[in-house]
Amino acid sequence: MMEFKRNVRVIKALIEIRFQNLMMFRLGFFGPFFVDGSLFIIQLMVFQAIYSNVDRIGTWGRGEMIVFIGTFSMINAINMVVYFFGINGLPQKIKNGDLDLYLTKPGSPLVRMTFEKINPGSLPLVCMSVLIIAYGIHQLGKPISGGAIAGYLFWIILMTILFYEMEVIIRSICFFVLSNANVTRIEEIGLELCMKIPGIVFYGGYKLLFCCILPYGIMATIPVQSLIGELSVMGAVYGILLTIIFTIITKGVWKQGVRCYNSASS
């Protein structure tokens, strides 16, 4: 409990410092609003081109697909706001020895790295994602209960945690090898594919790869299934267990990586 309270205080201090630094350079604060907003519009145009002549993807119609697109966009937007820019710099910190500065300070180095570079410039992506989800729900043409929305929000949070764990694991590979560039490329390809195609259409080896080993295929699929009432008990248990398993893997990889880390001063 004491460690949790200390981490909360550290996160609060990091966020305050980050906002102070951003507001010193107004262009650095407001610029990402326009850049991310433009990228979001381009992304929507791409999705529209792909799905304009398609009535159904698997068992899902247009409404479900719009909610799916908005959901993946939401999870990615939360990632961009909260932890991406902090965690993404981990490989470089390992290579040049900057990780020493985190390991020698009190508190969890991973917590500090996670929240030190929050990016409020991506907040418009969160708002736009909410609008897309709301439009998709409208397109479903059926009432959505408060319980379904609560369950959907629960899965958004859980899948965002799973997304975070995947990013930490992939970038922690640099503790053990010289470069994780090839793995990062696989991550990018997997994300690009799973942002366009829901996990319900994966079968065989693709299902094993994108719903288990690199579980990007379930990150937006399970929340949508929960919202529309298609998520089975086994599917829910699978999503929770997979997140727990990746939490354990993330902790193990991080601890082992820190043990293997050769500091710049050694």
Side-chain angles (χ1 to χ4, degrees):
M1 181 60 69
M2 291 297 295
E3 183 179 357
F4 175 76
K5 291 181 178 179
R6 183 171 64 244
N7 285 335
V8 170
R9 289 196 296 269
V10 169
I11 292 170
K12 181 180 178 182
L14 289 171
I15 292 174
E16 291 175 351
I17 293 170
R18 178 64 172 167
F19 269 90
Q20 290 172 3
N21 291 338
L22 287 171
M23 291 308 295
M24 290 175 63
F25 303 95
R26 300 299 176 87
L27 182 60
F29 182 81
F30 293 105
F33 281 85
F34 301 102
V35 175
D36 289 341
S38 300
L39 290 175
F40 187 82
I41 293 172
I42 293 173
Q43 184 184 50
L44 285 181
M45 294 174 65
V46 172
F47 286 138
Q48 178 65 24
I50 293 173
Y51 293 106
S52 58
N53 297 315
V54 178
D55 293 329
R56 304 192 71 83
I57 300 292
T59 59
W60 286 3
R62 184 174 179 82
E64 288 87 352
M65 283 308 306
I66 293 174
V67 176
F68 169 79
I69 292 168
T71 301
F72 214 125
S73 180
M74 170 67 78
I75 294 172
N76 185 56
I78 296 172
N79 156 54
M80 297 293 288
V81 171
V82 180
Y83 54 80
F84 174 78
F85 292 98
I87 294 300
N88 197 48
L90 176 60
Q92 190 61 33
K93 289 180 175 65
I94 295 172
K95 291 177 183 178
N96 59 26
D98 286 349
L99 190 62
D100 291 4
L101 302 175
Y102 296 83
L103 297 176
T104 55
K105 291 179 180 179
S108 168
L110 185 57
V111 169
R112 183 181 296 272
M113 196 178 305
T114 299
F115 294 98
E116 70 175 353
K117 289 187 178 180
I118 63 169
N119 176 35
S122 293
L123 283 173
L125 294 180
V126 177
C127 299
M128 294 176 185
S129 299
V130 171
L131 293 176
I132 290 179
I133 294 168
Y135 177 67
I137 292 175
H138 174 73
Q139 289 290 307
L140 289 175
K142 59 183 180 181
I144 302 295
S145 67
I149 293 175
Y152 175 76
L153 294 176
F154 165 78
W155 285 110
I156 287 284
I157 294 171
L158 202 65
M159 294 298 102
T160 300
I161 293 172
L162 181 59
F163 199 168
Y164 167 76
E165 290 166 349
M166 289 300 302
E167 291 202 349
V168 174
I169 291 171
I170 289 173
R171 283 148 187 80
S172 294
I173 291 175
C174 280
F175 280 117
F176 312 101
V177 299
L178 293 177
S179 174
N180 70 333
N182 291 331
V183 180
T184 302
R185 290 194 193 98
I186 294 174
E187 176 193 38
E188 292 172 353
I189 293 171
L191 279 172
E192 184 177 355
L193 176 66
C194 294
M195 286 180 71
K196 300 173 182 176
I197 303 175
I200 59 171
V201 303
F202 289 129
Y203 293 96
Y206 289 102
K207 191 176 185 68
L208 174 65
L209 177 60
F210 292 118
C211 296
C212 185
I213 300 174
L214 297 174
Y216 302 118
I218 71 170
M219 290 180 182
T221 301
I222 287 183
V224 177
Q225 287 179 318
S226 174
L227 184 68
I228 63 178
E230 286 188 359
L231 183 62
S232 66
V233 174
M234 290 300 296
V237 171
Y238 177 78
I240 294 172
L241 283 179
L242 193 67
T243 305
I244 293 173
I245 290 170
F246 271 94
T247 299
I248 296 171
I249 293 173
T250 301
K251 290 183 177 180
V253 170
W254 174 259
K255 289 182 179 179
Q256 185 62 35
V258 171
R259 292 194 190 100
C260 297
Y261 172 64
N262 294 319
S263 70
S265 57
S266 63

